[in-house]
Amino acid sequence: MSAASARLRVAAWLLLAALAGATTMVVELGAVRLIGPWFGTSQTVWTNVIGVVLLALSLGYLLGGRLSTRVHPARALGFVLLAAALCAAALPFAASPVARVFLPEGLTLDAAAGLLRWGSLATSIVLFLPPALCLGCVSPLCTEVLDREHPAGAGLSGGRVLCASTLGSLLGTFATTFVLLPVWGLSITFACAAASLAALAFLVLWGTRARVAALVAGFALAPAVLPSDVHPRARADGVLLAERETLYQSARVVEFDAGTGDARRELQVNESFDSYQSVWVPAPGLIGRGSYYDLFALPPWWAGAQGRWSVCVLGLCAGTTWRVLDGTLPPGATLDAWGVELDPAIVELARQFMELRESDERRVFAGCDARVFLQRCEREFDQIVLDAYANQMEIPAHLCTLEFFELVRTRLAPGGFLCANVGAFGLRDPVVEALAGSAARGLDAPVLALQVPFSRNVVLFARREAELPAQGSAAWVPESDALRALARQIELAPVARTFRPGDGAVLTDDRCDMERRQAESIARANPDGRQP
Amino acid sequence: MSLLACLVLCASGATEEPYRSALRRGEMRLALEQARAQADPVLIARGEVEVLYFAGDLRGALECAERGLVLHPTDAWLGWRACEIAKNLGQARAARDGLARFLAADFPLAPGADRPQDAAFWDEQRTALAAEIAALETRDAQARRALERARWVTVLALAGGVVALVCFARVPRAR
């Protein structure tokens, strides 16, 4: 073998190691997106996926080391690549049935919430352990092949392979997040990963005279090109109007009771269960029983709003809060509304199907993070509404800390209101206690927590440098007929709790245990023994 | 809760308690005060449950119903409300307990509920509630089984991993 040919072969083996490293990251990053529609993309899910992949890789290294002692390590490498290709190709097809085993269909949000931690772990094991284990075998096998072909010492061979593999992983990481997933989507990304591995397996097996296996590798690509369905389905009682796989979630607009007086459209994300992210009804104004949005209509009346009433909604989604305020402002008040929504695709859907209209008085900041937006925005608002959620129940950690609420205070006009929606089970819920405690300290003002009637939500109210009206007082009850009934419904002592600065827990950027609190909240709400 | 059941809830008392008129006007605070001002402890418990229910505080209403049932275990109306509200909250065990009390109770269920059609209506309610609670229990059982599956898969994977580690980590005898 000439020196040039030898160098070429070394480069080829290193390229193979790099491609396997890249594919490992494609599988790992794609994994969270793949199971996200069922289990969300919380830190818990990330931890489970990363943990499973690391376990699989460590086992794969050992298995690969073991296989490298065989007579034909190159052939073993080919078979390992073939197995990895088959596993990767199967992932988009297997995701839904496997997720269903650990998260049965038809559960309500609170029943399902207890399953997310263990369910995502088990799903990750079943789906991602096999391909990651196969991919873990690649590096030791490559090292052995390289060392046998060019005996330069195990350390040098191993170092070269690890360098190539890690550089490949680096490339795979950036390519997956910034190119593959946004441009091609999940199914094609996994198909590409499977195709790359199958091509490598074909070349290696053909080169080691395992021709039949090489042909099998050639066909391994076949299932990957079949259409796969990685989206959860809409509930059967609604009509699906549109569906998008966005950067953050699987989103859809579903219509119920079209053409009747009860017509409504819901924007649902991921599995949705019995929940939704935004709701549209034909007429602007109150949504009705069980809707926390309706409570956001009270502050303009409590403040006696006249003229321009400026509102900023953090977590605008499809603009339900705007529509509620549009239909309920006191006479003489006009709405000047801004909205911040992290997911631009949601805003697109809202424009098409939920009458989200933009103008000088209605500005949407799509693709912005709420906290970053507030830091850069130099305006003061009469009302800031915090309604930022991921996957129905995950409050982003950086939007519930003392530092965040201190920032909110600087963006509220004197007398301005903070309103926050909290998914919680009662006023003693650990999530409510932490969020209200942090808000009270951050705003240096009492926070009133109100249980939303017929709902599993709590709405927090606080006011900068002014008092909230006393429950049941004349100022508490708006002159609007529709709102009067709502205000009277929530004037009872058992459905309200006031947090003064120093009450409750305080979350900080340094220490925010919101995920633990959410798990505790769910455990408390499941008296029948379903533990998360 | 069905609209029909809501209507019956209001209409079942033939004698009009004062809190009911406050409730109809939407004056929840006054209604609660008037409900608590009644003389009979059973009526107080019923009144509190009713007001809190219509204020949308289902958890509070359930707590009141359960407190009332401790004092008056044979009260069918409280059993019925506890059952219905627990079912709405997705609490199968509490709903089943309420249903058992509801089934064991005698008519009339509420003061003045002695019209002939009442028995048929309440039988229908009991049947419907039993079916809904059974569905809730099935759902809970599904969730419990899924949780068990997930835990077993995790345990087996960990055990398999340990076995694999032990097996693969041994140095082979000869190359």
Side-chain angles (χ1 to χ4, degrees), chain B residues 2 12 14 16 29 34 54 56 58-59 71 73 79 81 88-89 91 96 98 104 107 115 119 134 137 145 167 173-174:
Chain B
S2 68
S12 57
E16 173 81 344
R29 182 171 283 206
Q34 290 180 341
F54 280 100
L58 299 190
R59 284 174 193 280
L71 295 172
R81 299 319 309 147
N88 287 346
L89 286 169
Q91 298 182 6
R96 179 61 71 186
F107 294 113
R115 286 162 291 176
E137 286 168 337
R145 280 199 299 272
C167 293
R173 281 179 196 155

PDB file of all heavy atoms in Angstrom, chain B residues 2 12 14 16 29 34 54 56 58-59 71 73 79 81 88-89 91 96 98 104 107 115 119 134 137 145 167 173-174:
ATOM      1  N   SER B   2     -74.092  18.606  34.614  1.00  0.00           N
ATOM      2  CA  SER B   2     -75.005  18.923  33.532  1.00  0.00           C
ATOM      3  C   SER B   2     -75.880  20.112  33.922  1.00  0.00           C
ATOM      4  O   SER B   2     -76.074  20.397  35.111  1.00  0.00           O
ATOM      5  CB  SER B   2     -75.883  17.707  33.242  1.00  0.00           C
ATOM      6  OG  SER B   2     -76.735  17.512  34.329  1.00  0.00           O
ATOM      7  N   SER B  12     -84.319  21.929  43.896  1.00  0.00           N
ATOM      8  CA  SER B  12     -84.708  20.806  44.728  1.00  0.00           C
ATOM      9  C   SER B  12     -85.256  21.242  46.087  1.00  0.00           C
ATOM     10  O   SER B  12     -86.012  20.507  46.693  1.00  0.00           O
ATOM     11  CB  SER B  12     -83.531  19.842  44.915  1.00  0.00           C
ATOM     12  OG  SER B  12     -82.456  20.560  45.463  1.00  0.00           O
ATOM     13  N   ALA B  14     -87.832  23.012  47.956  1.00  0.00           N
ATOM     14  CA  ALA B  14     -89.112  23.665  47.654  1.00  0.00           C
ATOM     15  C   ALA B  14     -89.275  24.937  48.476  1.00  0.00           C
ATOM     16  O   ALA B  14     -89.782  25.932  48.013  1.00  0.00           O
ATOM     17  CB  ALA B  14     -90.260  22.707  47.942  1.00  0.00           C
ATOM     18  N   GLU B  16     -87.824  28.185  49.861  1.00  0.00           N
ATOM     19  CA  GLU B  16     -86.759  29.049  49.355  1.00  0.00           C
ATOM     20  C   GLU B  16     -85.915  29.582  50.506  1.00  0.00           C
ATOM     21  O   GLU B  16     -86.371  30.425  51.285  1.00  0.00           O
ATOM     22  CB  GLU B  16     -87.398  30.199  48.564  1.00  0.00           C
ATOM     23  CG  GLU B  16     -86.433  31.270  48.129  1.00  0.00           C
ATOM     24  CD  GLU B  16     -85.650  30.906  46.870  1.00  0.00           C
ATOM     25  OE1 GLU B  16     -85.604  29.730  46.488  1.00  0.00           O
ATOM     26  OE2 GLU B  16     -85.077  31.830  46.285  1.00  0.00           O
ATOM     27  N   ARG B  29     -70.991  36.674  48.271  1.00  0.00           N
ATOM     28  CA  ARG B  29     -70.575  36.889  49.662  1.00  0.00           C
ATOM     29  C   ARG B  29     -71.797  36.881  50.584  1.00  0.00           C
ATOM     30  O   ARG B  29     -71.808  36.217  51.616  1.00  0.00           O
ATOM     31  CB  ARG B  29     -69.824  38.216  49.755  1.00  0.00           C
ATOM     32  CG  ARG B  29     -69.318  38.513  51.137  1.00  0.00           C
ATOM     33  CD  ARG B  29     -68.424  39.705  51.130  1.00  0.00           C
ATOM     34  NE  ARG B  29     -67.115  39.370  50.615  1.00  0.00           N
ATOM     35  CZ  ARG B  29     -66.005  40.023  50.915  1.00  0.00           C
ATOM     36  NH1 ARG B  29     -66.070  41.082  51.713  1.00  0.00           N
ATOM     37  NH2 ARG B  29     -64.840  39.674  50.432  1.00  0.00           N
ATOM     38  N   GLN B  34     -75.526  34.224  54.415  1.00  0.00           N
ATOM     39  CA  GLN B  34     -76.892  33.771  54.735  1.00  0.00           C
ATOM     40  C   GLN B  34     -76.953  32.254  54.884  1.00  0.00           C
ATOM     41  O   GLN B  34     -77.698  31.740  55.719  1.00  0.00           O
ATOM     42  CB  GLN B  34     -77.861  34.252  53.668  1.00  0.00           C
ATOM     43  CG  GLN B  34     -78.068  35.763  53.740  1.00  0.00           C
ATOM     44  CD  GLN B  34     -79.022  36.281  52.682  1.00  0.00           C
ATOM     45  OE1 GLN B  34     -79.269  35.611  51.682  1.00  0.00           O
ATOM     46  NE2 GLN B  34     -79.545  37.490  52.890  1.00  0.00           N
ATOM     47  N   PHE B  54     -71.345  27.340  42.968  1.00  0.00           N
ATOM     48  CA  PHE B  54     -71.711  28.334  41.953  1.00  0.00           C
ATOM     49  C   PHE B  54     -70.689  29.460  41.847  1.00  0.00           C
ATOM     50  O   PHE B  54     -70.659  30.168  40.848  1.00  0.00           O
ATOM     51  CB  PHE B  54     -73.120  28.868  42.199  1.00  0.00           C
ATOM     52  CG  PHE B  54     -74.160  27.916  41.692  1.00  0.00           C
ATOM     53  CD1 PHE B  54     -74.827  27.070  42.554  1.00  0.00           C
ATOM     54  CD2 PHE B  54     -74.424  27.824  40.333  1.00  0.00           C
ATOM     55  CE1 PHE B  54     -75.752  26.157  42.080  1.00  0.00           C
ATOM     56  CE2 PHE B  54     -75.355  26.915  39.848  1.00  0.00           C
ATOM     57  CZ  PHE B  54     -76.021  26.071  40.730  1.00  0.00           C
ATOM     58  N   GLY B  56     -67.696  28.684  41.634  1.00  0.00           N
ATOM     59  CA  GLY B  56     -66.665  28.042  40.829  1.00  0.00           C
ATOM     60  C   GLY B  56     -65.542  27.447  41.654  1.00  0.00           C
ATOM     61  O   GLY B  56     -64.564  26.953  41.119  1.00  0.00           O
ATOM     62  N   LEU B  58     -64.647  24.586  43.189  1.00  0.00           N
ATOM     63  CA  LEU B  58     -65.049  23.186  43.319  1.00  0.00           C
ATOM     64  C   LEU B  58     -64.329  22.488  44.465  1.00  0.00           C
ATOM     65  O   LEU B  58     -64.911  21.678  45.184  1.00  0.00           O
ATOM     66  CB  LEU B  58     -64.789  22.444  42.010  1.00  0.00           C
ATOM     67  CG  LEU B  58     -65.526  22.953  40.775  1.00  0.00           C
ATOM     68  CD1 LEU B  58     -65.375  21.981  39.623  1.00  0.00           C
ATOM     69  CD2 LEU B  58     -67.000  23.180  41.060  1.00  0.00           C
ATOM     70  N   ARG B  59     -63.058  22.811  44.637  1.00  0.00           N
ATOM     71  CA  ARG B  59     -62.313  22.179  45.738  1.00  0.00           C
ATOM     72  C   ARG B  59     -62.895  22.585  47.095  1.00  0.00           C
ATOM     73  O   ARG B  59     -63.045  21.767  47.994  1.00  0.00           O
ATOM     74  CB  ARG B  59     -60.837  22.559  45.663  1.00  0.00           C
ATOM     75  CG  ARG B  59     -60.142  21.820  44.589  1.00  0.00           C
ATOM     76  CD  ARG B  59     -58.713  22.242  44.357  1.00  0.00           C
ATOM     77  NE  ARG B  59     -58.277  21.657  43.109  1.00  0.00           N
ATOM     78  CZ  ARG B  59     -57.885  20.396  42.961  1.00  0.00           C
ATOM     79  NH1 ARG B  59     -57.813  19.623  44.017  1.00  0.00           N
ATOM     80  NH2 ARG B  59     -57.561  19.915  41.785  1.00  0.00           N
ATOM     81  N   LEU B  71     -70.380  15.043  59.679  1.00  0.00           N
ATOM     82  CA  LEU B  71     -71.434  15.322  60.662  1.00  0.00           C
ATOM     83  C   LEU B  71     -72.711  14.557  60.357  1.00  0.00           C
ATOM     84  O   LEU B  71     -73.424  14.126  61.260  1.00  0.00           O
ATOM     85  CB  LEU B  71     -71.740  16.826  60.692  1.00  0.00           C
ATOM     86  CG  LEU B  71     -70.615  17.745  61.186  1.00  0.00           C
ATOM     87  CD1 LEU B  71     -70.983  19.194  60.980  1.00  0.00           C
ATOM     88  CD2 LEU B  71     -70.360  17.481  62.670  1.00  0.00           C
ATOM     89  N   PRO B  73     -73.494  11.622  57.947  1.00  0.00           N
ATOM     90  CA  PRO B  73     -73.077  10.630  56.940  1.00  0.00           C
ATOM     91  C   PRO B  73     -74.210  10.121  56.059  1.00  0.00           C
ATOM     92  O   PRO B  73     -73.958   9.634  54.958  1.00  0.00           O
ATOM     93  CB  PRO B  73     -72.501   9.492  57.781  1.00  0.00           C
ATOM     94  CG  PRO B  73     -72.296  10.043  59.136  1.00  0.00           C
ATOM     95  CD  PRO B  73     -73.243  11.173  59.312  1.00  0.00           C
ATOM     96  N   GLY B  79     -74.038  13.645  49.867  1.00  0.00           N
ATOM     97  CA  GLY B  79     -73.364  12.545  49.172  1.00  0.00           C
ATOM     98  C   GLY B  79     -73.388  12.747  47.672  1.00  0.00           C
ATOM     99  O   GLY B  79     -72.379  12.556  46.978  1.00  0.00           O
ATOM    100  N   ARG B  81     -73.713  15.622  46.046  1.00  0.00           N
ATOM    101  CA  ARG B  81     -72.844  16.737  45.655  1.00  0.00           C
ATOM    102  C   ARG B  81     -71.379  16.339  45.737  1.00  0.00           C
ATOM    103  O   ARG B  81     -70.586  16.668  44.868  1.00  0.00           O
ATOM    104  CB  ARG B  81     -73.080  17.969  46.545  1.00  0.00           C
ATOM    105  CG  ARG B  81     -74.468  18.572  46.537  1.00  0.00           C
ATOM    106  CD  ARG B  81     -75.118  18.629  45.179  1.00  0.00           C
ATOM    107  NE  ARG B  81     -74.287  19.224  44.154  1.00  0.00           N
ATOM    108  CZ  ARG B  81     -74.309  18.853  42.880  1.00  0.00           C
ATOM    109  NH1 ARG B  81     -75.109  17.887  42.481  1.00  0.00           N
ATOM    110  NH2 ARG B  81     -73.554  19.433  42.003  1.00  0.00           N
ATOM    111  N   ASN B  88     -66.093  15.713  38.893  1.00  0.00           N
ATOM    112  CA  ASN B  88     -65.658  16.831  38.052  1.00  0.00           C
ATOM    113  C   ASN B  88     -64.196  17.182  38.280  1.00  0.00           C
ATOM    114  O   ASN B  88     -63.519  17.663  37.381  1.00  0.00           O
ATOM    115  CB  ASN B  88     -66.520  18.071  38.318  1.00  0.00           C
ATOM    116  CG  ASN B  88     -67.905  17.927  37.738  1.00  0.00           C
ATOM    117  OD1 ASN B  88     -68.151  17.031  36.930  1.00  0.00           O
ATOM    118  ND2 ASN B  88     -68.835  18.764  38.165  1.00  0.00           N
ATOM    119  N   LEU B  89     -63.727  16.958  39.508  1.00  0.00           N
ATOM    120  CA  LEU B  89     -62.323  17.246  39.806  1.00  0.00           C
ATOM    121  C   LEU B  89     -61.403  16.087  39.429  1.00  0.00           C
ATOM    122  O   LEU B  89     -60.198  16.165  39.605  1.00  0.00           O
ATOM    123  CB  LEU B  89     -62.156  17.552  41.302  1.00  0.00           C
ATOM    124  CG  LEU B  89     -62.669  18.910  41.758  1.00  0.00           C
ATOM    125  CD1 LEU B  89     -62.695  18.984  43.282  1.00  0.00           C
ATOM    126  CD2 LEU B  89     -61.814  20.030  41.197  1.00  0.00           C
ATOM    127  N   GLN B  91     -61.359  13.127  40.871  1.00  0.00           N
ATOM    128  CA  GLN B  91     -60.941  12.360  42.051  1.00  0.00           C
ATOM    129  C   GLN B  91     -61.844  11.138  42.195  1.00  0.00           C
ATOM    130  O   GLN B  91     -62.912  11.191  42.815  1.00  0.00           O
ATOM    131  CB  GLN B  91     -61.012  13.240  43.302  1.00  0.00           C
ATOM    132  CG  GLN B  91     -60.074  14.431  43.223  1.00  0.00           C
ATOM    133  CD  GLN B  91     -60.098  15.286  44.465  1.00  0.00           C
ATOM    134  OE1 GLN B  91     -60.736  14.950  45.457  1.00  0.00           O
ATOM    135  NE2 GLN B  91     -59.395  16.408  44.403  1.00  0.00           N
ATOM    136  N   ARG B  96     -66.311   7.861  44.265  1.00  0.00           N
ATOM    137  CA  ARG B  96     -66.869   6.538  44.563  1.00  0.00           C
ATOM    138  C   ARG B  96     -67.469   6.523  45.982  1.00  0.00           C
ATOM    139  O   ARG B  96     -68.549   5.972  46.199  1.00  0.00           O
ATOM    140  CB  ARG B  96     -65.756   5.492  44.413  1.00  0.00           C
ATOM    141  CG  ARG B  96     -66.127   4.082  44.708  1.00  0.00           C
ATOM    142  CD  ARG B  96     -67.220   3.529  43.821  1.00  0.00           C
ATOM    143  NE  ARG B  96     -66.831   3.280  42.445  1.00  0.00           N
ATOM    144  CZ  ARG B  96     -67.697   2.906  41.494  1.00  0.00           C
ATOM    145  NH1 ARG B  96     -68.974   2.756  41.789  1.00  0.00           N
ATOM    146  NH2 ARG B  96     -67.308   2.704  40.256  1.00  0.00           N
ATOM    147  N   GLY B  98     -68.653   9.105  47.626  1.00  0.00           N
ATOM    148  CA  GLY B  98     -69.882   9.893  47.570  1.00  0.00           C
ATOM    149  C   GLY B  98     -71.014   9.100  46.955  1.00  0.00           C
ATOM    150  O   GLY B  98     -72.157   9.140  47.423  1.00  0.00           O
ATOM    151  N   ALA B 104     -76.860   4.574  49.089  1.00  0.00           N
ATOM    152  CA  ALA B 104     -77.411   4.009  50.326  1.00  0.00           C
ATOM    153  C   ALA B 104     -78.506   4.878  50.932  1.00  0.00           C
ATOM    154  O   ALA B 104     -79.225   4.440  51.824  1.00  0.00           O
ATOM    155  CB  ALA B 104     -76.281   3.833  51.344  1.00  0.00           C
ATOM    156  N   PHE B 107     -84.835   8.493  49.887  1.00  0.00           N
ATOM    157  CA  PHE B 107     -85.505   9.718  49.430  1.00  0.00           C
ATOM    158  C   PHE B 107     -86.372  10.235  50.553  1.00  0.00           C
ATOM    159  O   PHE B 107     -86.726   9.457  51.444  1.00  0.00           O
ATOM    160  CB  PHE B 107     -86.370   9.431  48.213  1.00  0.00           C
ATOM    161  CG  PHE B 107     -85.556   9.030  47.029  1.00  0.00           C
ATOM    162  CD1 PHE B 107     -85.638   7.743  46.512  1.00  0.00           C
ATOM    163  CD2 PHE B 107     -84.694   9.941  46.429  1.00  0.00           C
ATOM    164  CE1 PHE B 107     -84.884   7.368  45.426  1.00  0.00           C
ATOM    165  CE2 PHE B 107     -83.940   9.555  45.334  1.00  0.00           C
ATOM    166  CZ  PHE B 107     -84.037   8.275  44.831  1.00  0.00           C
ATOM    167  N   ARG B 115     -91.970  15.028  44.947  1.00  0.00           N
ATOM    168  CA  ARG B 115     -92.831  14.850  43.789  1.00  0.00           C
ATOM    169  C   ARG B 115     -92.619  13.458  43.194  1.00  0.00           C
ATOM    170  O   ARG B 115     -91.503  12.907  43.322  1.00  0.00           O
ATOM    171  CB  ARG B 115     -92.513  15.926  42.742  1.00  0.00           C
ATOM    172  CG  ARG B 115     -93.037  17.296  43.141  1.00  0.00           C
ATOM    173  CD  ARG B 115     -92.370  18.388  42.355  1.00  0.00           C
ATOM    174  NE  ARG B 115     -90.974  18.502  42.754  1.00  0.00           N
ATOM    175  CZ  ARG B 115     -90.111  19.325  42.188  1.00  0.00           C
ATOM    176  NH1 ARG B 115     -90.494  20.083  41.190  1.00  0.00           N
ATOM    177  NH2 ARG B 115     -88.873  19.388  42.599  1.00  0.00           N
ATOM    178  N   ALA B 119     -88.098  10.327  42.128  1.00  0.00           N
ATOM    179  CA  ALA B 119     -87.399   9.053  42.292  1.00  0.00           C
ATOM    180  C   ALA B 119     -86.768   8.617  40.973  1.00  0.00           C
ATOM    181  O   ALA B 119     -85.602   8.211  40.929  1.00  0.00           O
ATOM    182  CB  ALA B 119     -88.369   7.998  42.797  1.00  0.00           C
ATOM    183  N   ALA B 134     -67.091   5.090  36.751  1.00  0.00           N
ATOM    184  CA  ALA B 134     -66.413   3.892  36.226  1.00  0.00           C
ATOM    185  C   ALA B 134     -65.423   4.294  35.135  1.00  0.00           C
ATOM    186  O   ALA B 134     -64.301   3.778  35.077  1.00  0.00           O
ATOM    187  CB  ALA B 134     -67.449   2.904  35.682  1.00  0.00           C
ATOM    188  N   GLU B 137     -62.438   5.793  36.773  1.00  0.00           N
ATOM    189  CA  GLU B 137     -61.586   4.767  37.382  1.00  0.00           C
ATOM    190  C   GLU B 137     -60.791   4.010  36.320  1.00  0.00           C
ATOM    191  O   GLU B 137     -59.627   3.678  36.532  1.00  0.00           O
ATOM    192  CB  GLU B 137     -62.448   3.797  38.205  1.00  0.00           C
ATOM    193  CG  GLU B 137     -62.925   4.429  39.506  1.00  0.00           C
ATOM    194  CD  GLU B 137     -64.002   3.621  40.219  1.00  0.00           C
ATOM    195  OE1 GLU B 137     -64.708   2.822  39.557  1.00  0.00           O
ATOM    196  OE2 GLU B 137     -64.160   3.806  41.428  1.00  0.00           O
ATOM    197  N   ARG B 145     -51.246   1.888  35.334  1.00  0.00           N
ATOM    198  CA  ARG B 145     -50.537   0.806  34.627  1.00  0.00           C
ATOM    199  C   ARG B 145     -49.391   1.369  33.791  1.00  0.00           C
ATOM    200  O   ARG B 145     -48.313   0.796  33.721  1.00  0.00           O
ATOM    201  CB  ARG B 145     -51.523   0.031  33.742  1.00  0.00           C
ATOM    202  CG  ARG B 145     -52.350  -0.982  34.512  1.00  0.00           C
ATOM    203  CD  ARG B 145     -52.951  -2.017  33.570  1.00  0.00           C
ATOM    204  NE  ARG B 145     -53.839  -1.400  32.598  1.00  0.00           N
ATOM    205  CZ  ARG B 145     -55.134  -1.175  32.804  1.00  0.00           C
ATOM    206  NH1 ARG B 145     -55.680  -1.524  33.946  1.00  0.00           N
ATOM    207  NH2 ARG B 145     -55.874  -0.620  31.875  1.00  0.00           N
ATOM    208  N   CYS B 167     -20.266  -7.837  32.075  1.00  0.00           N
ATOM    209  CA  CYS B 167     -19.851  -8.782  31.033  1.00  0.00           C
ATOM    210  C   CYS B 167     -18.811  -8.172  30.092  1.00  0.00           C
ATOM    211  O   CYS B 167     -17.788  -8.770  29.799  1.00  0.00           O
ATOM    212  CB  CYS B 167     -21.060  -9.242  30.215  1.00  0.00           C
ATOM    213  SG  CYS B 167     -22.183 -10.217  31.168  1.00  0.00           S
ATOM    214  N   ARG B 173      -9.733 -13.426  27.096  1.00  0.00           N
ATOM    215  CA  ARG B 173      -8.524 -14.204  27.404  1.00  0.00           C
ATOM    216  C   ARG B 173      -7.438 -14.005  26.351  1.00  0.00           C
ATOM    217  O   ARG B 173      -6.275 -13.839  26.647  1.00  0.00           O
ATOM    218  CB  ARG B 173      -8.886 -15.681  27.491  1.00  0.00           C
ATOM    219  CG  ARG B 173      -9.534 -16.009  28.816  1.00  0.00           C
ATOM    220  CD  ARG B 173      -9.901 -17.460  28.890  1.00  0.00           C
ATOM    221  NE  ARG B 173     -10.849 -17.669  29.985  1.00  0.00           N
ATOM    222  CZ  ARG B 173     -11.706 -18.652  30.036  1.00  0.00           C
ATOM    223  NH1 ARG B 173     -11.784 -19.528  29.055  1.00  0.00           N
ATOM    224  NH2 ARG B 173     -12.516 -18.783  31.048  1.00  0.00           N
ATOM    225  N   ALA B 174      -7.791 -14.084  25.100  1.00  0.00           N
ATOM    226  CA  ALA B 174      -6.768 -13.967  24.054  1.00  0.00           C
ATOM    227  C   ALA B 174      -7.300 -13.135  22.924  1.00  0.00           C
ATOM    228  O   ALA B 174      -8.493 -13.101  22.671  1.00  0.00           O
ATOM    229  CB  ALA B 174      -6.397 -15.356  23.562  1.00  0.00           C
TER     230      ALA B 174
END
